[in-house]
Amino acid sequence: MKFIKNIFFLAGCLLVLSSCEREAISIDLPETEAKVVVECFLDPRFPETRVVLGRTSPLRPKNKIDNNYLMGAQVTINVDGVDYNLSLTSTIPGNNKFEYYNSSIPKNPGSVYKLSVKFADGKEITSQTSIPNQEINSSTVEISKKINPNAFGDSILQINASFLDLPGKSFYRIIGNSSNGEVYFTNSYFDDVNKEGQIVNSGLGELYFNTINDRNLTIYLIYSDEDYWKYHKSVESQFNSGLFNEPALIHTNIKGGIGIFAGFRILEYQTTF
């Protein structure tokens, strides 16, 4: 009797599955426009300027953007009325990204930089930015450090950075590195809201390590415009978003495409622990 019940149960499951198969609904995904992705950062510490071009990959693209399309671009940056052309120098294997390069573009704080990327079909991508004419004063920087053991036998270096806020609406980012690893800050992005002209704090940073081979620590304090700040913050939010979280929208200041074109100033602060 038990065997017969099992047979009927199996037959019922097969009927349900076959019914589900017959009632399967096919969903037509909407067509989405493929877009060119642009990334360029202007850092006055280095003479090189690199513009990286890529593309989005929608499931059902309305248009076609292939490697030849990106490799045939005409990339120009205008600085104070002078045009500088960038040449295709390399590709990034596996990522369908192409780098355009020029080592003679001046990096003048306060100057206006205009980016133009033109393609064979007549389409043009543009953006505009500037390099901040201020930088964080190293004499106002204070780094507090404390080493604590944890329950797993490792040690934790806790770090907090503070410095005098720059005039105007300011946006900051902090990064920390040592030979023992990267410093993880609870908040790597902060601004001067309600702290105009006062001391601003980075929040807590932690570095986990087993042994200390090198006690040198480098803190990078970045001062930028709002576009640079929002772009990196949104990229990090997208990277850290969980499986069931809403995807973060990546900030862009590129007209006709997506991505970022931004200048920044960076202070490298060397310390020990």
Side-chain angles (χ1 to χ4, degrees):
M1 180 64 69
K2 185 175 182 181
F3 174 77
I4 294 174
K5 288 182 178 180
N6 288 340
I7 289 293
F8 279 115
F9 175 75
L10 179 60
C13 289
L14 291 174
L15 286 172
V16 170
L17 290 175
S18 63
S19 174
C20 290
E21 183 177 352
R22 285 195 304 269
E23 296 176 3
I25 300 173
S26 115
I27 301 176
D28 289 330
L29 295 174
E31 290 185 341
T32 306
E33 181 183 3
K35 295 183 179 181
V36 174
V37 180
V38 181
E39 187 175 85
C40 178
F41 299 106
L42 303 175
D43 184 349
R45 297 176 302 162
F46 305 108
E48 301 87 359
T49 300
R50 293 178 170 85
V51 175
V52 177
L53 301 183
R55 62 176 182 265
T56 59
S57 300
L59 293 175
R60 292 193 63 200
K62 288 182 180 179
N63 54 322
K64 182 181 180 181
I65 299 177
D66 57 17
N67 291 349
N68 290 330
Y69 186 82
L70 298 176
M71 293 171 65
Q74 179 184 343
V75 181
T76 305
I77 292 179
N78 180 285
V79 186
D80 295 332
V82 180
D83 285 337
Y84 296 86
N85 295 319
L86 289 83
S87 302
L88 178 65
T89 57
S90 63
T91 62
I92 302 175
N95 290 328
N96 294 320
K97 293 183 179 179
F98 303 89
E99 181 182 276
Y100 288 78
Y101 174 89
N102 187 313
S103 61
S104 62
I105 298 177
K107 306 288 180 62
N108 303 323
S111 291
V112 175
Y113 292 77
K114 298 179 181 180
L115 173 68
S116 169
V117 183
K118 296 180 180 179
F119 298 96
D121 61 359
K123 291 184 179 179
E124 181 180 10
I125 289 173
T126 61
S127 188
Q128 180 174 308
T129 190
S130 63
I131 298 174
N133 54 17
Q134 304 178 91
E135 60 182 347
I136 297 169
N137 188 344
S138 60
S139 66
T140 70
V141 177
E142 291 188 6
I143 308 292
S144 62
K145 295 158 286 188
K146 183 180 181 182
I147 297 178
N148 294 317
N150 66 11
F152 303 100
D154 300 328
S155 296
I156 304 174
L157 172 66
Q158 294 183 325
I159 302 166
N160 181 273
S162 62
F163 54 90
L164 182 64
D165 174 51
L166 294 171
K169 191 175 183 180
S170 302
F171 299 89
Y172 303 106
R173 181 187 181 193
I174 186 169
I175 302 171
N177 281 306
S178 80
S179 61
N180 296 281
E182 182 180 351
V183 180
Y184 293 93
F185 287 90
T186 53
N187 184 14
S188 300
Y189 303 89
F190 50 103
D191 55 30
D192 64 346
V193 173
N194 300 322
K195 293 186 177 181
E196 173 67 35
Q198 304 176 34
I199 297 296
V200 292
N201 294 279
S202 66
L204 182 66
E206 293 185 333
L207 171 66
Y208 293 80
F209 57 89
N210 290 311
T211 59
I212 303 178
N213 299 319
D214 182 358
R215 285 184 173 268
N216 293 317
L217 177 67
T218 304
I219 300 295
Y220 301 93
L221 294 170
I222 300 170
Y223 171 64
S224 71
D225 64 8
E226 191 171 7
D227 284 321
Y228 174 98
W229 191 77
K230 283 185 174 181
Y231 173 78
H232 281 284
K233 190 175 181 181
S234 63
V235 168
E236 191 168 302
S237 296
Q238 174 70 26
F239 180 79
N240 293 329
S241 64
L243 180 62
F244 300 104
N245 293 335
E246 288 287 335
L249 293 177
I250 304 299
H251 178 77
T252 179
N253 69 343
I254 305 295
K255 294 181 180 179
I258 60 173
I260 185 68
F261 178 53
F264 64 94
R265 303 292 293 272
I266 185 168
L267 171 66
E268 291 187 35
Y269 191 89
Q270 304 289 337
T271 185
T272 58
F273 62 94

